[in-house]
Amino acid sequence: MADNLRDGTACITGAASGIGRATSLAFARDGCRKLVLGDLSSAGLNETRTMILQMYPTAKVVTCVMDVANVEQVESFHATAVEKFGRIDFTANIAGYGHLPTPSVELKSSEISKSFAVNLKGVFLCEQAQIRQMLKQSPLDGFESRGSIVNVASLCATIAMPGMTGYSATKGGALGLTRGDALDYGPHQIRVNCVAPGNIITPMLSGVMGEEHMAIMAGITPLRRLGRPDDIANAVVWLSSPMACYLTGVNLPVDGGLALSTGPF
Ligand SMILES: NC(=O)c1ccc[n+]([C@@H]2O[C@H](COP(=O)([O-])OP(=O)(O)OC[C@H]3O[C@@H](n4cnc5c(N)ncnc54)[C@H](O)[C@@H]3O)[C@@H](O)[C@H]2O)c1
């Protein structure tokens, strides 16, 4: 797929860690050398930027410390992309927050607010800014669409997991946003898709799941391993590419087949 995304500009949130970092590197690997990376963590963004520049010295990488739940910061993040590179072609809305497994009646109000702010409102605000810009631009050469948006939700958007009701509600909402905007903006040649990761080895997963639990989850996954950040990054980049030009509104599970498993949960 090398060079498939040449000439495009990508905006990626959650780029300081895990799946967002892997996705930023995967965009650069596949030829997209204009990258605008957002996250709360300045140190993490700098690390991602350094990794990209070591491997792809011709890349232009702009980093923005930003909170996806803050409308001014979201607008300024996307305005920076347009100021620097003139357009926004590919976006990956990856920033996310996972509360510890907690039955919903015990979930603190602060945790509910944070989950909804990052995982749902954040995706909503980013999609608004992205679609507004995409509506103003023509497709890049070799592309049929004016832009591609990929939201990283979760398997929890469509299947229940113990103690994850709060998280599931926000990820189900992100899937709703994906489908609604795919329907409304398909006629304007904007594609909006979703990736549903299973259990992916990142700081977020180790924060909510111990080693023993991870081994159990790997054991009930049909492909018998947990996912790697690259597994998700490759799906995001493929969905953004012209090879996926007739796909919109899909929810693509990248979970080693976990959604097929019957438990034990
Ligand atoms: N790891 C998994 O098993 C898994 C499974 C399903 C879905 N996901 C989803 O994948 C996405 C990436 O998760 P990850 O596993 O790479 O986690 P991670 O913790 O490694 O990375 C998440 C990143 O999001 C950033 N972030 C958090 N709140 C933010 C905010 N308000 N504004 C901007 N940035 C913010 C964090 O600073 C961090 O860099 C999340 O949306 C997560 O819900 C992960």
Side-chain angles (χ1 to χ4, degrees), residues 1 13 36-37 48 78 80 84 116 133 137 156 168 197 214 219 225 256:
M1 200 147 74
T13 71
V36 186
L37 312 181
T48 304
H78 293 93
T80 301
K84 299 271 179 198
F116 276 78
Q133 171 55 32
Q137 59 193 38
C156 288
S168 287
M214 285 195 206
R225 68 167 174 88

Side-chain angles (χ1 to χ4, degrees), residues 165-216:
T165 307
Y167 181 75
S168 287
T170 64
K171 294 295 187 178
L175 180 55
L177 283 174
T178 306
R179 291 181 170 150
D181 280 339
L183 182 73
D184 283 346
Y185 295 100
H188 300 273
Q189 292 84 46
I190 295 169
R191 298 188 299 111
V192 190
N193 291 296
C194 199
V195 171
N199 292 299
I200 312 299
I201 305 164
T202 67
M204 180 184 286
L205 189 72
S206 18
V208 298
M209 205 183 269
E211 297 266 319
E212 206 177 315
H213 191 176
M214 285 195 206
I216 294 170

Side-chain angles (χ1 to χ4, degrees), residues 4 7 38 46 63 80 84 87 90 111 142 175 185 200 239:
N4 216 355
D7 300 332
N46 286 338
T63 57
T80 301
K84 299 271 179 198
R87 48 188 294 136
F90 320 115
E111 289 287 276
L175 180 55
Y185 295 100
I200 312 299
L239 277 171

